[in-house]
Amino acid sequence: MSVAFTSNNTLAATVTATPIVFTSVNYNTPQTVTVAPVEDQAATGTRSVQVSPLATSTDAFYNNIATPKVAVTVNDNDRVRAPGHVGPHT
């Protein structure tokens, strides 16, 4: 079974995980999925996004199985800039 992850707001956060593949060997081994704020130089504060897993499998029992969405709080690391400021923040 393979599980892919998407964010409901790709302007706020991205999910940096290729689909995770579970097998009979690793089905009970924890896997890491990273959710990160978008680096856009716009200070947007704290936002909530939903991460949706989608399971696919050649086994009909597991293919498109219902999986709960996960609420994630994203703390934006960009800062408000002075008017007219150009360039990367420090």
Side-chain angles (χ1 to χ4, degrees):
M1 175 174 55
S2 173
V3 182
F5 300 86
T6 58
S7 166
N8 74 331
N9 185 347
T10 56
L11 296 176
T14 58
V15 182
T16 55
T18 57
I20 295 172
V21 177
F22 291 96
T23 67
S24 60
V25 175
N26 75 348
Y27 72 94
N28 62 352
T29 303
Q31 304 292 324
T32 301
V33 175
T34 303
V35 179
V38 172
E39 294 297 335
D40 58 6
Q41 298 182 11
T44 54
T46 301
R47 293 190 272 182
S48 181
V49 298
Q50 295 286 323
V51 174
S52 301
L54 175 62
T56 56
S57 176
T58 55
D59 183 329
F61 182 78
Y62 294 105
N63 193 42
N64 293 321
I65 194 168
T67 51
K69 295 178 181 176
V70 178
V72 177
T73 301
V74 178
N75 296 312
D76 192 354
N77 63 351
D78 296 313
R79 294 182 288 174
V80 176
R81 298 169 179 250
H85 179 81
V86 178
H89 58 282
T90 56

